[in-house]
Amino acid sequence: MLGTPSGFEAEALAEIADSLRPTGTSPTTDLRFDSSGVRIVRKGRLVAACHLGVRRVETTKLTRGERTARRLREQQIWTMAILYSLVLAAALYLRSWGLGAESIWYDEAISIAQSSGTFENLITLASQDNYPPLHNLLIHPLLRIFGNSEALVRLPSLLFSMIAIIATAGLASTLGRPRAGLFAAVVLAFSSFQIYYAQEARMYALLAGCTALCSWSMASYLTRPGLGRGLLVTLSAGATLYSHFFGMLNVFALGIASLIIAIFMRARLPRGATLCFVWVGLGGVLFTPWVAFVITRVSSVTKAGFWIPYPEPSFLWAQLNTMLDGPVGIAISITGLALAIFFGVQKRPTRDPEAESNDAILVVVSLSLLVIPFLISLAASLLATPVIFHRYLIGSLPALAVLVGLGFDFLIRLFKTPFRLPLTVLFTGALAGALLFAAYPRLYPHKENWRAVASYISQRWSSDDCIAVGDITLLAPLRFYLGQIDCGLGLPAQAEQASRTTGRLFLPAVGWTQGATQEGIERLEKSGFSLTDRFVTEQVELAVL
C-alpha cells in the first residue's frame, strides 16, 4: 500500500503492531521506532513500515496466525468491556436498591447533625469528634439544598463505593493485569460488607474509595511519571487522610510501598518514577492543619479508653467473618492469596520484563496496604487502647481484592491463549455466584428504626410533652425526623427536671443507653409517674410515662 496514509490506515498499522507483540504468537517480531517513523520486523524481514518523512505506508499480507491473533485480541477487548460493564451494573444495582428504605440510625444522625449547621460549626464539631471533616463537607451542601432525605445523605457513600471498585480494577489494569482487575472488581461488587457501608451516611465508603484512588494514581505515576499524575497522587492521598483517622495508616502504607519500589526497583522504573513517595508525602502536608486535632483526640481516647473490645482471637475471627462474608468468602480469599503467593514466588522465564516489573509493583502496593494498617492498629490495640475494628480497615479490602484477583489471573494464564477468554467468562460468573451466595444472608440488615419511633411520637405529641433519653446525643436521630425538639432531657442527670413535666414523657432507648434510661424511669416512678405504654421496633424501645 503506497501513498499518503489516512487516519484509518495509521490506526490499522497500530492495530497490526498491537496484534503482533502482546499475544506471543510471533516472539521474534520487533517494533522499532526512530526519527523516520516506525518499522515492524519479524525474523529480520520488514513486515510493515510507516515512514514519516516521505509519508507512505508499506505493508505485506498478514499471515493466518497474525489474523487469528488479531481476531482474538478484538474478542478479548469486547468481552472484557462487557464483563466489566455487567459487574459495575450489578454493583450499582446492589448498592442503590433500597438506598432510602432503612431509617437513619444513631451514627448517621450524628454525622448529619454535625453537617446541618454553618460551615464553621461543622468544622468545630468535627474537630471534637474521632474523624476528620471530609464526609461532613460532602453531605453539607446536600442538606442545605435538599433538606433531610435518607437516600440523598447516603448518596456520597454509594458513589465512593463505586469509585472503590473502579479504582481497584484500574490499579490492576494500569499495571497490565485487566483480568486480575476484573476479578478484584467482582470481589468488591458482591461483598455485603462493602454494600452495607455504601448505604450508610458515614465516612467508611469514602475511606475505601479515596484509598483505592490513591493506589491507582500511584500505579499510574509509577508507569508514566508526570506532573498531572503526581498532583493526583497528592490530592488523593490528602483526601484519604481527611476521610478517617485510619486514612493516616493507609497513606503511610502507600508511602512505604512507594519507597520500597524506589529503592529496590529503581532500574526498572521510568525516569522520575522514584519520586512517587515525594508526591505521597505532599499529601501529608495537606493534612497538617488537622494534625493538632488528631493529637488531641488520640490523647483523649488513650486516657478515657474506647468502646472497642480487646482484640482476642475470637474477636478478630468474628471481624474477619463480617468483612469477608463468612466461610465461603474467607475460602475464596485464602485460595486467591495462596495462588498469588505460589505463582508469584516462582521464577519463570519471561520474554516481557516490563510485565514482570508491573506484577512486582502491584504486589508491593497491595501487600503494603493490606498488612501495614492491620499490624499498626493491632499493635496499638495490644499496647495502648483497642482501636482495631472491621469497618476501620475497609480501605485495605481493595488491596486484598487485587491480590485475590491476581492469584486467579495466574491460574487462568496456565491455559493456552485460545482457552483463556472463555475460561475468564466462566470463572467471572462462577466467582460472582459464589460471592453472592455468601453475601445474600447478610444483605440489607435492619438498622435502628428511629423513623417508626418518630412517627409514633408525632402522632401523640402535645405542647406539654417532653422527650427524655439516656444520652443527650440520642436526640439526633429524632431531630432528623421531627425537626426542632423544644423539650429534650438527658437521663438520669435531668430526671428531677423531667419530673416537673406536666405532659407525657417519651423515653426512647437503644442497647447502650438501656441502663441510664431504666435508672431514669425508676426515679420518675418514685416522683409519681407511671408507665402507660411501650413501643418496640427494630433495635429501639420507647417507654411512655
Side-chain angles (χ1 to χ4, degrees):
M1 179 172 60
L2 299 175
T4 302
S6 65
F8 174 79
E9 291 164 350
E11 290 178 6
L13 183 60
E15 289 181 4
I16 293 171
D18 190 47
S19 68
L20 288 174
R21 284 212 304 177
T23 59
T25 56
S26 302
T28 56
T29 299
D30 187 21
L31 182 63
R32 301 177 182 174
F33 296 89
D34 55 33
S35 58
S36 63
V38 59
R39 294 176 294 158
I40 303 175
V41 180
R42 186 195 307 111
K43 297 180 179 179
R45 183 171 65 89
L46 180 67
V47 176
C50 177
H51 301 286
L52 301 180
V54 298
R55 296 184 60 78
R56 68 177 185 175
V57 175
E58 300 174 356
T59 64
T60 60
K61 186 177 180 179
L62 293 177
T63 66
R64 181 179 178 181
E66 292 163 356
R67 290 196 301 271
T68 301
R70 181 175 178 176
R71 184 174 65 254
L72 287 174
R73 177 65 174 169
E74 291 174 349
Q75 291 176 352
Q76 181 183 10
I77 292 172
W78 281 104
T79 304
M80 292 294 288
I82 292 171
L83 290 175
Y84 266 115
S85 299
L86 290 174
V87 170
L88 291 175
L92 181 60
Y93 174 78
L94 290 170
R95 283 155 176 76
S96 59
W97 190 86
L99 184 62
E102 287 293 320
S103 167
I104 292 294
W105 74 291
Y106 174 78
D107 280 12
E108 291 178 298
I110 293 298
S111 291
I112 293 167
Q114 292 176 351
S115 309
S116 299
T118 63
F119 175 81
E120 292 79 6
N121 189 55
L122 184 157
I123 297 298
T124 300
L125 292 175
S127 67
Q128 298 168 359
D129 211 326
N130 295 325
Y131 55 90
L134 181 57
H135 177 261
N136 290 358
L137 291 172
L138 291 175
I139 64 175
H140 175 72
L142 296 177
L143 292 168
R144 296 292 294 271
I145 296 172
F146 301 105
N148 291 351
S149 167
E150 293 98 333
L152 275 174
V153 295
R154 291 168 178 161
L155 187 59
S157 295
L158 184 151
L159 294 177
F160 275 93
S161 182
M162 293 299 299
I163 287 173
I165 299 173
I166 295 169
T168 301
L171 167 63
S173 299
T174 298
L175 294 171
R177 297 300 176 209
R179 187 165 43 237
L182 173 65
F183 296 153
V186 171
V187 170
L188 294 181
F190 294 95
S191 164
S192 69
F193 187 73
Q194 294 281 335
I195 294 169
Y196 178 85
Y197 288 105
Q199 295 193 330
E200 183 175 86
R202 294 285 280 171
M203 69 297 300
Y204 304 111
L206 174 66
L207 173 63
C210 290
T211 303
L213 270 178
C214 190
S215 305
W216 186 14
S217 60
M218 276 182 53
S220 178
Y221 181 85
L222 288 169
T223 53
R224 295 181 61 189
L227 177 61
R229 291 180 175 84
L231 290 174
L232 185 58
V233 172
T234 296
L235 292 176
S236 57
T240 304
L241 292 167
Y242 277 103
S243 62
H244 191 272
F245 284 159
F246 263 61
M248 294 187 293
L249 303 185
N250 296 345
V251 171
F252 176 74
L254 292 174
I256 293 296
S258 61
L259 196 59
I260 291 173
I261 292 169
I263 294 173
F264 295 101
M265 301 178 61
R266 177 186 296 270
R268 301 181 183 182
L269 296 176
R271 183 178 180 182
T274 54
L275 297 177
C276 185
F277 72 94
V278 175
W279 292 106
V280 176
L282 289 176
V285 174
L286 296 178
F287 192 62
T288 51
W290 206 258
V291 170
F293 300 126
V294 173
I295 296 172
T296 301
R297 291 307 303 164
V298 169
S299 175
S300 174
V301 168
T302 303
K303 292 178 181 177
F306 209 35
W307 59 269
I308 298 175
Y310 188 80
E312 300 282 351
S314 58
F315 171 78
L316 295 177
W317 178 251
Q319 301 292 292
L320 186 65
N321 266 278
T322 301
M323 294 178 73
L324 301 182
D325 287 333
V328 175
I330 292 174
I332 291 172
S333 298
I334 290 176
T335 302
L337 284 173
L339 289 171
I341 294 171
F342 177 76
F343 290 110
V345 299
Q346 292 188 30
K347 293 184 177 180
R348 305 180 306 278
T350 178
R351 293 172 180 162
D352 193 352
E354 182 181 353
E356 189 179 63
S357 175
N358 286 345
D359 281 350
I361 293 174
L362 189 60
V363 169
V364 170
V365 171
S366 301
L367 202 57
S368 298
L369 188 54
L370 178 63
V371 173
I372 293 176
F374 171 76
L375 291 180
I376 294 177
S377 59
L378 180 61
S381 299
L382 295 173
L383 300 176
T385 301
V387 293
I388 190 169
F389 202 65
H390 52 55
R391 62 189 180 216
Y392 298 165
L393 294 170
I394 194 172
S396 296
L397 282 186
L400 174 64
V402 167
L403 292 172
V404 171
L406 185 62
F408 292 136
D409 182 37
F410 280 139
L411 184 64
I412 296 293
R413 276 189 270 165
L414 292 177
F415 296 88
K416 293 183 178 180
T417 301
F419 299 104
R420 292 178 184 174
L421 190 58
L423 284 174
T424 299
V425 175
L426 292 174
F427 189 81
T428 301
L431 182 61
L435 290 169
L436 189 58
F437 172 79
Y440 184 76
R442 303 165 183 261
L443 288 175
Y444 315 120
H446 291 301
K447 302 179 180 181
E448 297 169 1
N449 196 349
W450 288 99
R451 182 195 294 151
V453 173
S455 176
Y456 180 94
I457 293 175
S458 64
Q459 293 172 12
R460 294 161 177 79
W461 185 262
S462 66
S463 58
D464 296 331
D465 293 341
C466 192
I467 298 175
V469 290
D471 188 296
I472 198 66
T473 60
L474 212 59
L475 292 173
L478 289 175
R479 286 196 176 103
F480 180 84
Y481 291 106
L482 297 175
Q484 183 62 35
I485 298 174
D486 295 328
C487 181
L489 303 174
L491 297 176
Q494 294 180 298
E496 182 178 347
Q497 183 177 347
S499 66
R500 295 194 293 268
T501 302
T502 57
R504 286 170 296 186
L505 282 172
F506 296 90
L507 290 82
V510 293
W512 56 277
T513 65
Q514 287 284 0
T517 303
Q518 186 59 38
E519 184 180 345
I521 291 175
E522 292 173 357
R523 290 191 185 184
L524 290 167
E525 287 178 335
K526 292 178 181 178
S527 302
F529 281 85
S530 61
L531 184 66
T532 60
D533 196 6
R534 189 178 293 274
F535 176 73
V536 179
T537 184
E538 290 90 352
Q539 302 180 45
V540 186
E541 184 175 334
L542 177 68
V544 183
L545 277 68

